[in-house]
Amino acid sequence: MSSVADFISRNAMWAGVILGAVTFVESLVVIGAFVPATGLLVVAGTMIAAGILDPWNVILGCVIGAVLGDAVSFAIGRRLGTKVLRHKWLRPHRRKVAWTRLYCARYGVASIFIGRFFGPLRAFVPTMVGVLGMRRRTFQMANVTSAFLWVLAMVIPGWLVGKGLNHLAEGHGKTVVISAAVALVVAVLVIQRLLKARAAKRNRLLRGAVTGD
């Protein structure tokens, strides 16, 4: 993470393109589950606050990348239909796919907005609503709007942290800001893993209680 952030800071003119490519890949079905764009957007927010990156360059690049990634995933779902659900790449994710199908069928357009912020389902929602036959115009309106809201929601916390750090950074601003941002992202990821592990343990205990094991 720190090496990527440092590379972006040294190539500020291309930050929008680089981060846009990351958000594009993160929005693709299956592949997106393994790309941590969220952490990079938080780091980008701190670098915007420090004056290292241009905010419009970053926001525009990330929104375009997220929109295009979801559009590709949606097109795959529309074109292949239920066949895509039987693809070998999705076999290891059967449980997530099943949950996503129920979730999208129940919440419709709202699932696109909520899915942007819900990591486990984010990489599957656009394809699933395509499989379920959502109208292209309806999807694209939700796609663009949710992408813009998601990018702002990821960048603004980093920007707020960066503003606070600027008072402490002084002569070593770039190094301090990047290091602190990376530490913040790592802390958030560790907390998320701990919460997921606790939730998984609780679910196992509940299943055992129900089955009598």
Side-chain angles (χ1 to χ4, degrees), residues 198-211 213:
R198 180 176 294 181
K201 182 178 180 180
R202 183 166 57 247
N203 289 337
R204 287 196 299 269
L205 291 174
L206 288 173
R207 285 198 298 269
V210 171
T211 59
D213 293 341

Side-chain angles (χ1 to χ4, degrees), residues 151-174:
V151 171
L152 288 181
M154 296 300 103
V155 170
I156 288 176
W159 180 83
L160 292 173
V161 171
K163 279 295 184 182
L165 290 172
N166 281 341
H167 296 292
L168 303 175
E170 296 181 352
H172 302 285
K174 183 183 293 189

Side-chain angles (χ1 to χ4, degrees), residues 80-91 94 97:
L80 299 181
T82 56
K83 291 181 182 178
V84 73
L85 303 181
R86 297 189 293 272
H87 195 281
K88 62 181 181 181
W89 286 6
L90 290 178
R91 288 173 190 167
R94 289 176 182 172
V97 171

Side-chain angles (χ1 to χ4, degrees), residues 140-200:
Q140 292 299 353
M141 291 178 64
N143 182 22
V144 174
T145 306
S146 64
F148 184 73
L149 293 175
W150 175 68
V151 171
L152 288 181
M154 296 300 103
V155 170
I156 288 176
W159 180 83
L160 292 173
V161 171
K163 279 295 184 182
L165 290 172
N166 281 341
H167 296 292
L168 303 175
E170 296 181 352
H172 302 285
K174 183 183 293 189
T175 302
V176 172
V177 168
I178 292 175
S179 299
V182 172
L184 173 65
V185 172
V186 170
V188 170
L189 292 176
V190 169
I191 292 172
Q192 287 180 336
R193 285 185 176 275
L194 290 174
L195 291 175
K196 287 181 180 179
R198 180 176 294 181

Side-chain angles (χ1 to χ4, degrees), residues 29-207:
V29 61
V30 181
I31 300 173
F34 304 98
V35 180
T38 300
L40 285 177
L41 291 185
V42 175
V43 174
T46 63
M47 289 192 282
I48 289 172
I52 300 170
L53 301 180
D54 175 67
W56 294 112
N57 181 18
V58 170
I59 292 171
L60 184 61
C62 290
V63 169
I64 290 174
V67 167
L68 291 178
D70 270 21
V72 170
S73 295
F74 174 77
I76 291 173
R78 287 276 297 189
R79 184 175 182 82
L80 299 181
T82 56
K83 291 181 182 178
V84 73
L85 303 181
R86 297 189 293 272
H87 195 281
K88 62 181 181 181
W89 286 6
L90 290 178
R91 288 173 190 167
H93 306 280
R94 289 176 182 172
R95 182 171 296 179
K96 289 182 181 178
V97 171
W99 274 107
T100 305
R101 189 169 190 171
L102 292 172
Y103 166 78
C104 292
R106 180 174 182 179
Y107 295 105
V109 174
S111 65
I112 299 171
F113 287 86
I114 301 171
R116 287 280 188 194
F117 298 88
F118 191 47
L121 302 184
R122 185 163 56 237
F124 303 98
V125 168
T127 299
M128 190 59 68
V129 295
V131 170
L132 295 175
M134 180 178 287
R135 293 176 57 188
R136 289 185 176 86
R137 183 177 180 181
T138 301
F139 169 77
Q140 292 299 353
M141 291 178 64
N143 182 22
V144 174
T145 306
S146 64
F148 184 73
L149 293 175
W150 175 68
V151 171
L152 288 181
M154 296 300 103
V155 170
I156 288 176
W159 180 83
L160 292 173
V161 171
K163 279 295 184 182
L165 290 172
N166 281 341
H167 296 292
L168 303 175
E170 296 181 352
H172 302 285
K174 183 183 293 189
T175 302
V176 172
V177 168
I178 292 175
S179 299
V182 172
L184 173 65
V185 172
V186 170
V188 170
L189 292 176
V190 169
I191 292 172
Q192 287 180 336
R193 285 185 176 275
L194 290 174
L195 291 175
K196 287 181 180 179
R198 180 176 294 181
K201 182 178 180 180
R202 183 166 57 247
N203 289 337
R204 287 196 299 269
L205 291 174
L206 288 173
R207 285 198 298 269

